[in-house]
Amino acid sequence: MVRPSATGLATAFYRLYLLESLASATARPATLLAAISTERLPLASGAFGRALQSLLEGGHLVPAPEAAVALTALGAAERIAERECWRAVIPTVLRLIAEPEPGPRPAPVLAEAPAVAYRTAAVAEAYLDRVLVGELRECVAAARDGGRAFTLVLGVADVDASSEATRRAIVHRCIRATLGGASSLFGGDASAFRYGDSGVALVAPILGDERRGTRIATLLRARLDELLRTMTVSVRAFAGTRWDVRVGHATWSADLVTSGAVLRIAQEELARDDVERRPAA
């Protein structure tokens, strides 16, 4: 396959380039070739010589002193004709290759990244794992059909770090470690879930111990506090971080007919624990 850029197209382009470059003054062909080479055009390398030869043979260029070439009166007329030809052809070429007509490039605009409100209630609600809600519905349905009662325990780690990235890294490590060791710490029958932006939820059946929810809540608070304390001491980037752990729990009873009611009571306990632990003004 012979590409047009290797035949007549390249020669035609270099004819226009030579006529335009020599319109104001004489120049050496080697100098003109070096100048156009910096453009790195995908054109045949021998086309420049063919264009120069055709212009000399047609009387459009003549040799000048110091190995230069000059434009003749015939060449000046040819330059105008070439310009008109290219002016008529270029719009059609741009249409064929589906490119817009060349124009001034707009100045780049550096937009600031939108601030992300990580700690808003909307984001926390988005993090609420739907698997947790599905698990609560199944537990409520099973308990109402004569199955075991259960308890729901919520734990949230409120971390105040030097930056949002550091805070999220601390919370992520804390939650991952808590979920990974849930079976050994809270019992093999306890199910652990991610809750909100920085919390953990535990669902466990009641096995003859109505205070199991309270015991799990105490263990969860101690576990989260231990993890946070260890990280802030052992990881240099986490030094100086302040935190607070809140817990809340709810135990299913016959009057709690929906999973939302159980979850709402646990959330109210979580909020009450935050108020009780907050230092007095």
Side-chain angles (χ1 to χ4, degrees), residues 149-162:
F150 66 93
T151 183
L152 169 65
V153 180
L154 303 178
V156 175
D158 296 321
V159 178
D160 185 10
S162 58

Side-chain angles (χ1 to χ4, degrees), residues 117-120 123-128 156-157 164 167-168 171-172 175 194-199:
Y118 290 104
R119 303 189 184 185
T120 61
V123 175
E125 183 67 21
Y127 272 96
L128 182 59
V156 175
E164 179 61 24
R167 186 194 73 84
R168 293 177 64 83
V171 170
H172 177 71
I175 292 178
R194 177 78 178 262
Y195 173 74
D197 180 24
S198 55

